[in-house]
Amino acid sequence: MKNESLNYYLIFITKVRMSTIQKHNTQISNVLIIGSGGAGLRAAIEARRAGVEVTVIGKRKKEDVHTVLAAGGINAALGNVDPKDNWQQHFADTMIEGYLLSDPRTVELMAKEAPDLVQEIHEWGANFATLSDGRLDQRYFGAHTYRRTCYSGDYTGRSILFTLIKKAQELNIPIHDSQYVTELLVRDKTCFGAMTFDINTGERTVFLADAVILAAGGHTRIWRKSSSRRNENTGDGFYLALKAGCTLTDMEQVQFHPTGMVIPETIAGSLVTEAVRGEGGHLKNSKGERFMSKYDPERMELSTRDKVAMANYTEIMEGRGTENEGIYLDISHRDKDFIIEKLPRMYRKFLDTLMLDISKSPMEVAPTAHYSMGGVLVSPEEHATNIEGLYAAGEVAGGLHGANRLGGNSLAEILIFGKRAGSAAANRSINLQTQIRSKDVINQAHDSINAFIKNGDNVARPLQRSIRDTMWECCGVVRDEKLLQKGVSEINEIKEATTKLDVRPDSEGFEDLMLAFDLEGSLASAEATILSALERKESRGAHQRRDYTATNNKEYLVNFEVHWDANRKAIVTKHDVNPLSPELKKVIDDTSDISDFSGKLLE
């Protein structure tokens, strides 16, 4: 009887264990890249050229990732149009206009390496505009001392992305679309891959790798008016990083682009590129006044993005806006052929959506959430996180932009630090002796997915809308203590509502499950942003507080960092900004003061 009981017990235990085994595919490569936008693809290309096997995964179709929305141009101090330009001036412009919150070494690398990488992507086929002698043309962008923005019409991001896709295909780099990453696989503070499911079929895949690069974008879609599109930039990259044990930095610094579309409602917030102002567009209020003369009379429309956004916001809030709560951006004084040559997509966009000919009539625009200037804390040279084997590049990474991003620096960032992260990840793989793997961690990732699939009272879309409303009202262009505290309360209420989320994958696909994870990512990102905004009791760059209007360098020349404790509670700490070396301080001291701005406005 004892033996029979023992056999029955062993059979029972075996059945229980078999029932907990989760089905998934397994793919193994040396380097795994999460995100198929510009940063991810440039990283993949560099890693592949180093001789390792690379896999790229993304949740959108590779031809339609967020990079395509970067319209106006890419910065490089080539000096083709303004010969006085150099990397030192680019460095100084970026540091000064970032209100000295940027990491100096990161900015130095960007300014020094941009010329070579911009020339390289052009030679790969990016089709940038050229001068009569074949050198790259350069246009004005706000707050640049000289013309240093190279461009392909007003579709520069699309041109760069398609060039990178072609290069990746030439190198036989596999790019998997419709893969939603739910978890970075981490054991003993070492990342060894990621868990995904296919958005269309629900099929799960464990991607194992020696090194992982996170290039998953930012979180600007969590504001009601956003230049991002549906189901992108929801903060899922920040959420993955926090769960893995990473630290976020400067999350309160969110750039509100001065010019997003106002109507129609379905695309409100869609970007109207800075190239319109760079090519001579004028901002006017409902009285026909070119109002930037009140806010920055020297630079006018080519002032910094934070100042132009605040000017637009102020004109609207003080009653000088349009009926649709916008202001006017007018380029109709330029020749129609010039507009179609320099701004072809903007011309077509307004014609298609509003039947508005911008060569004859002004556009209505207003501030829109545009760019996450903070992000995952990384090392400047390799863009390594504090988790071994995990790197981050592109908008998901922090450190470069400080409190205000210069237009054109984001496309430079994806090439420079995508390349650097790809090289570092490949080197790790090449030199790795042993790699950690953990079935327990993989099973926990399965359990995390399974926990979402259940019947409930609430669905994700309305809760996402609630987050967007809360962030726009409570943590928008201008903030204060009362509104931010209200935002914390509302985010906590939405968190509670997600415990009764209804997630039912069906024959139409697994979008419900994707939205559930997006919702979690948005909540985590929103909380990190609001808590950091509460701590920064001053106005600096894109972070504007009506209750603390001054910039306080004595107390707040610091970076606020966010990490999770063991209970997933967000903890905010502050750290002094990394100091300028004597050499880099001299670069700033020796370059033009803001009052010495040499860019001439196009009339």
Side-chain angles (χ1 to χ4, degrees):
M1 288 293 295
K2 286 184 179 180
N3 286 340
E4 287 179 9
S5 298
L6 179 61
N7 288 338
Y8 177 81
Y9 176 76
L10 289 174
I11 291 169
F12 173 76
I13 291 298
T14 301
K15 285 183 176 179
V16 169
R17 284 178 176 169
M18 287 180 66
S19 69
T20 62
I21 293 174
Q22 303 288 330
K23 288 185 178 181
H24 63 256
N25 300 316
T26 302
Q27 291 206 20
I28 302 175
S29 57
N30 299 112
V31 175
L32 171 67
I33 294 162
I34 300 169
S36 54
L41 291 180
R42 189 60 188 84
I45 290 165
E46 197 62 23
R48 187 73 189 93
R49 292 165 91 188
V52 302
E53 292 299 317
V54 181
T55 299
V56 179
I57 55 179
K59 64 179 181 179
R60 295 181 75 92
K61 291 182 179 180
K62 58 182 176 291
E63 299 87 358
D64 193 37
V65 295
H66 199 252
T67 304
V68 303
L69 300 184
I74 180 170
N75 295 332
L78 296 166
N80 292 346
V81 178
D82 293 322
K84 290 184 179 180
D85 200 15
N86 52 41
W87 78 262
Q88 291 94 335
Q89 188 64 60
H90 190 184
F91 171 85
D93 288 349
T94 301
M95 288 297 301
I96 292 169
E97 302 306 343
Y99 294 79
L100 300 178
L101 286 193
S102 306
D103 176 77
R105 176 60 175 157
T106 303
V107 178
E108 178 188 9
L109 291 171
M110 184 269 299
K112 284 182 174 178
E113 296 178 7
D116 286 345
L117 289 187
V118 167
Q119 190 65 48
E120 176 187 68
I121 195 74
H122 174 64
E123 291 170 1
W124 287 357
N127 192 33
F128 294 149
T130 57
L131 300 167
S132 58
D133 60 6
R135 293 179 302 157
L136 299 183
D137 193 10
Q138 298 184 279
R139 66 175 23 147
Y140 289 116
F141 253 31
H144 291 275
T145 302
Y146 300 107
R147 286 171 285 189
R148 67 168 62 100
T149 306
C150 304
Y151 62 95
S152 297
D154 58 355
Y155 51 91
T156 311
R158 180 180 295 274
S159 183
I160 289 173
L161 178 72
F162 278 60
T163 301
L164 292 172
I165 291 173
K166 181 182 177 183
K167 191 70 173 179
Q169 290 171 339
E170 291 172 358
L171 294 170
N172 296 315
I173 297 171
I175 304 172
H176 301 280
D177 297 336
S178 303
Q179 292 294 316
Y180 194 97
V181 180
T182 64
E183 206 89 29
L184 295 171
L185 303 175
V186 176
R187 180 181 173 182
D188 298 335
K189 296 187 177 181
T190 300
C191 186
F192 64 89
M195 168 70 81
T196 77
F197 68 86
D198 187 290
I199 295 168
N200 299 312
T201 67
E203 187 175 50
R204 300 182 190 181
T205 302
V206 170
F207 288 91
L208 300 175
D210 301 329
V212 176
I213 301 173
L214 186 62
H219 71 319
T220 50
R221 183 64 185 174
I222 70 173
W223 279 265
R224 187 170 69 238
K225 295 180 182 179
S226 170
S227 61
S228 298
R229 301 164 299 184
R230 206 179 204 197
N231 299 341
E232 69 180 7
N233 267 27
T234 57
D236 41 314
F238 299 146
Y239 178 50
L240 290 171
L242 284 169
K243 287 196 291 183
C246 296
T247 298
L248 306 182
T249 184
D250 297 331
M251 288 298 290
E252 76 282 5
Q253 296 295 352
V254 177
Q255 185 166 76
F256 291 87
H257 196 287
T259 55
M261 292 183 72
V262 175
I263 52 174
E265 173 65 24
T266 53
I267 58 171
S270 296
L271 185 65
V272 178
T273 173
E274 187 167 323
V276 177
R277 287 179 286 126
E279 298 295 351
H282 296 166
L283 293 168
K284 298 178 181 178
N285 59 26
S286 59
K287 296 181 178 181
E289 299 168 333
R290 197 173 164 195
F291 57 81
M292 281 306 300
S293 60
K294 295 187 295 184
Y295 302 95
D296 193 340
E298 190 168 4
R299 297 183 293 185
M300 296 289 283
E301 285 85 3
L302 294 183
S303 184
T304 58
R305 284 185 174 179
D306 62 308
K307 289 182 179 178
V308 180
M310 275 300 298
N312 291 356
Y313 178 84
T314 301
E315 291 296 306
I316 294 166
M317 296 305 292
E318 292 184 356
R320 295 182 294 277
T322 67
E323 290 183 4
N324 296 309
E325 297 185 346
I327 49 89
Y328 293 116
L329 174 59
D330 190 4
I331 197 163
S332 62
H333 54 282
R334 302 293 292 183
D335 182 75
K336 182 173 183 176
D337 289 340
F338 175 89
I339 293 170
I340 292 175
E341 177 192 354
K342 299 291 188 180
L343 304 164
R345 293 189 72 230
M346 284 297 102
Y347 181 81
R348 177 56 57 185
K349 186 173 187 177
F350 276 88
L351 207 57
D352 289 346
T353 57
L354 294 171
M355 292 184 287
L356 180 75
D357 185 343
I358 65 173
S359 71
K360 297 178 181 178
S361 303
M363 300 157 262
E364 283 187 82
V365 296
T368 181
H370 180 57
Y371 199 88
S372 306
M373 293 182 293
V376 182
L377 186 64
V378 292
S379 64
E381 285 83 3
E382 296 187 335
H383 265 41
T385 72
N386 60 305
I387 300 299
E388 187 70 26
L390 179 61
Y391 305 81
E395 190 173 356
V396 79
L400 177 62
H401 306 295
N404 180 56
R405 178 175 73 82
L406 290 184
N409 272 358
S410 61
L411 287 177
E413 174 184 27
I414 64 175
L415 297 184
I416 292 155
F417 297 110
K419 176 181 178 179
R420 281 184 162 272
S423 176
N427 286 337
R428 170 179 164 78
S429 178
I430 290 167
N431 294 306
L432 197 64
Q433 296 296 317
T434 59
Q435 174 59 289
I436 289 175
R437 300 280 190 262
S438 172
K439 288 184 178 179
D440 287 343
V441 170
I442 292 171
N443 286 336
Q444 288 166 12
H446 276 296
D447 292 343
S448 177
I449 297 174
N450 295 339
F452 273 111
I453 303 174
K454 62 183 186 301
N455 298 347
D457 298 329
N458 301 315
V459 292
R461 286 284 189 207
L463 295 179
Q464 285 181 323
R465 178 71 184 198
S466 296
I467 294 173
R468 299 181 74 203
D469 288 343
T470 291
M471 294 303 288
W472 188 259
E473 179 190 355
C474 301
C475 195
V477 179
V478 180
R479 306 151 179 186
D480 62 38
E481 184 87 11
K482 183 178 179 181
L483 282 175
L484 291 168
Q485 291 290 2
K486 180 185 177 188
V488 171
S489 297
E490 290 183 3
I491 290 299
N492 286 333
E493 289 174 7
I494 299 168
K495 272 188 185 180
E496 181 62 28
T498 62
T499 62
K500 298 178 181 179
L501 202 60
D502 190 83
V503 179
R504 308 189 198 197
D506 57 25
S507 60
E508 296 300 313
F510 280 67
E511 186 178 82
D512 268 12
L513 186 57
M514 177 191 75
L515 294 177
F517 276 99
D518 271 354
L519 186 61
E520 291 285 311
S522 296
L523 285 166
S525 300
E527 181 178 54
T529 302
I530 294 175
L531 292 179
S532 297
L534 275 166
E535 292 297 322
R536 186 171 289 284
K537 293 177 171 55
E538 64 161 354
S539 290
R540 183 183 294 270
H543 173 74
Q544 293 292 314
R545 289 190 56 160
R546 60 172 57 90
D547 50 350
Y548 296 97
T549 57
T551 299
N552 184 345
N553 284 326
K554 184 176 181 181
E555 293 185 57
Y556 290 103
L557 193 57
V558 297
N559 302 114
F560 285 101
E561 298 178 359
V562 180
H563 68 275
W564 276 359
D565 67 11
N567 297 314
R568 294 193 173 185
K569 179 183 178 182
I571 307 298
V572 182
T573 57
K574 70 177 179 179
H575 298 271
D576 290 338
V577 298
N578 289 334
L580 286 161
S581 66
E583 295 79 13
L584 292 178
K585 185 178 185 303
K586 188 174 186 301
V587 166
I588 291 180
D589 292 342
D590 288 349
T591 53
S592 301
D593 184 78
I594 202 69
S595 61
D596 203 15
F597 180 73
S598 61
K600 304 300 181 186
L601 294 177
L602 298 172
E603 297 300 333

